[in-house]
């Protein structure tokens, strides 16, 4: 299905960004929703595509903070409030040197459709900074978070915009950000999700994205006639929040996750990843995965510079199910080819848009069960919305309640996507299914709300 060049050129012109990831995300969605646009003229009459691909507003601000050597440091902070047709802007904050307004627009745009897909009352946004948390002391992280919130607090609110974590932003950073917001405003508002449990966080929020990916895949395997996870070899990339909890839930459901990666290299442990050690290295000590081999000298560590055929080491390891859970465009055409040749049956995107368009195309052409990010990794935002509900009603839900509701929500999203793909004549194509479900709900709300 080809999309009109005119539409994409118009969107390129009206968006002041050079970041190709944003256009990549938009093109994929436009391709999927073409039959919807063609079947009902209300979307073009209401200029929905142009309105949906331009954020409501974007903030860019200076973040000045003092490092441990008393040097003044300057970073850039951003918040993109993309669309609030369905509820308050909602989406994570990313702290990583690669952050710029284009990357945040890609993430914010994806977030609109993801949040719509959940069926919950949340809009789409994203934010962050080019600040690099690596190698910073705890005190420096706190100083930076305080300085960041000094500006961000002007734009957020429990009914306006509720950020959460993403790459480089976990419970520690959310805690410091929340503390600063409270100091500035004297208000105990649920303006962030992913808070530690002791001050308003939801149980299961840290686990939610990874667990949700596995629940979604379990359901997708059943639809695809592949039974369940028992005994299946799984490869996982990443070694952060999403990857760790994906590995944890895979073990719970009887699978054998054998890999993890970080920005410096890949660990392959054929007997199954030692989860306790992985948590120790990445969540407590925050060190390189190379350290893993000190405890397991039969595991294989491959440095990024030693990856062999132009692909990523982790996707060259034979597996039944693959879970890219690190970052965007980490799984390329050559990686997809390696996975397919090695007999992989499913690929689940834990990270946001980890597969390149060429890789996605290969998966779909080869009937691989492919779960796109906006459906598969929605578990994080689902439990974030549960956190907002708990904060609003001043209640705390049990672990079992949140886990059951997450499980049910992920399986319901999978069903919705599966049935929609069938309805539009693309059975098994979860990319089109997810884009169509997400688009229709938000587009119909925009039309109903007028201009
Ligand atoms: P973390 O910061 O906890 O972990 C990120 C992991 O990916 C780390 O292991 C990091 O390596 C690695 N990584 C980051 N950037 C790169 C890169 N450029 N190349 C190679 N490896 C890289 O982040 P999360 O686990 O929270 O997020 C991972 C992905 O999941 C992101 O795409 C995020 O947008 C998405 N996501 C996260 C959600 C959440 O709830 N946290 C919700 C939905 C989506 P190193 O340790 O060396 O830094």
């Amino acid at each position: 299905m080809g999309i009109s060049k005119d539409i994409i050129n118009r969107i390129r012109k009206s968006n002041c960004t050079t970041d190709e990831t944003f256009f990549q995300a938009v093109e994929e969605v436009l391709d999927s929703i073409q039959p919807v646009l063609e079947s009902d003229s209300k979307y073009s009459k209401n200029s929905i595509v142009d309105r949906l691909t331009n954020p409501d507003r974007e903030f860019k601000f200076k973040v000045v903070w003092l490092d441990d050597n008393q040097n003044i440091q300057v970073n850039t902070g951003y918040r993109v409030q993309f669309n609030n047709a369905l509820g308050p802007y909602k989406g994570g904050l990313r702290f990583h040197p690669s952050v710029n307004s284009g990357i945040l627009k890609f993430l914010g745009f994806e977030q609109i459709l993801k949040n719509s897909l959940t069926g919950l009352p949340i809009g789409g946004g994203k934010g962050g900074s080019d600040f690099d948390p690596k190698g910073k002391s705890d005190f420096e992280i706190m100083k930076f978070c305080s300085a960041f919130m000094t500006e961000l607090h002007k734009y957020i609110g429990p009914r306006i915009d509720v950020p959460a974590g993403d790459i480089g932003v976990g419970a520690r950073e959310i805690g410091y950000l929340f503390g600063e917001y409270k100091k500035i405003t004297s208000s105990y508002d649920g303006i962030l999700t992913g808070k530690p449990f002791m001050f308003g966080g939801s149980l299961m929020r840290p686990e939610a994205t990874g667990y949700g990916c596995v629940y979604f895949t379990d359901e997708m395997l059943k639809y695809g006639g592949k039974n369940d996870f028992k005994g299946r070899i799984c490869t996982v990339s990443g070694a952060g929040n999403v990857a760790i909890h994906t590995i944890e839930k895979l073990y719970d459901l009887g699978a054998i996750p054998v890999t993890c990666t970080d920005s410096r290299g890949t660990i392959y442990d054929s007997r199954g990843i030692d989860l306790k050690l992985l948590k120790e290295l990445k969540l407590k000590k925050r060190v390189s995965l190379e350290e893993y081999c000190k405890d397991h000298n039969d595991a294989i560590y491959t440095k990024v510079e030693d990856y062999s055929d132009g692909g990523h080491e982790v996707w060259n390891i034979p597996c039944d199910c693959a879970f890219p859970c690190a970052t965007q465009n980490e799984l390329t055409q050559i990686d997809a080819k390696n996975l397919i040749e090695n007999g992989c049956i499913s690929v689940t995107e834990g990270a946001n848009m980890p597969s390149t368009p060429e890789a996605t195309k290969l998966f779909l052409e080869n009937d691989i069960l492919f779960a796109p990010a906006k459906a598969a990794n929605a578990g994080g935002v689902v439990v974030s919305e549960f956190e907002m509900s708990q904060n609003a009603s001043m209640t705390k839900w049990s672990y079992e309640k949140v886990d059951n509701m997450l499980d049910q929500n992920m399986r319901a999203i999978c069903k919705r996507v599966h049935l929609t793909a069938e309805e539009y004549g693309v059975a098994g194509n979860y990319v089109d299914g997810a884009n169509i479900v997400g688009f229709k709900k938000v587009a119909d709300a925009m039309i109903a709300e007028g201009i």
Side-chain angles (χ1 to χ4, degrees), residues 63-74:
V63 186
V64 183
W65 57 284
L66 205 57
D67 70 16
D68 286 347
N69 297 320
Q70 306 306 309
N71 293 318
I72 295 171
Q73 299 289 344
V74 184

Side-chain angles (χ1 to χ4, degrees), residues 149-272:
M149 186 50 87
T150 307
E151 189 66 23
L152 184 72
H153 87 277
K154 297 171 189 166
Y155 316 121
I156 61 177
R159 299 270 164 183
I160 301 170
D161 182 355
V162 186
D166 191 73
I167 290 178
V169 181
R172 172 181 61 166
E173 291 74 17
I174 294 286
Y176 293 145
L177 290 163
F178 181 73
E180 185 64 24
Y181 178 88
K182 206 159 50 69
K183 200 166 84 189
I184 298 169
T185 62
S186 303
S187 181
Y188 209 99
D189 289 330
I191 38 83
L192 290 162
T193 56
K195 299 184 288 297
F197 180 66
M198 63 190 144
F199 50 88
S202 175
L203 288 172
M204 285 276 309
R205 177 60 188 87
E207 294 90 342
T209 308
Y211 281 23
C213 277
V214 180
Y215 294 144
F216 187 98
T217 311
D218 193 46
E219 196 68 9
M220 180 175 73
L221 289 176
K222 286 176 189 152
Y223 279 123
K226 307 282 187 198
N227 293 325
D228 54 29
F229 273 117
K230 288 201 187 68
R232 293 204 186 276
I233 302 295
C234 299
T235 49
V236 179
S237 68
N241 176 285
V242 180
I244 285 174
H245 296 106
T246 295
I247 290 172
E248 188 162 82
K249 188 46 74 180
L250 284 172
Y251 274 128
D252 282 355
L253 298 194
I256 309 161
V258 294
T259 63
C260 55
T261 72
D262 65 12
S263 51
R264 283 167 280 193
T266 296
I267 286 287
Y268 172 42
D269 189 341
S270 60
R271 291 177 314 175

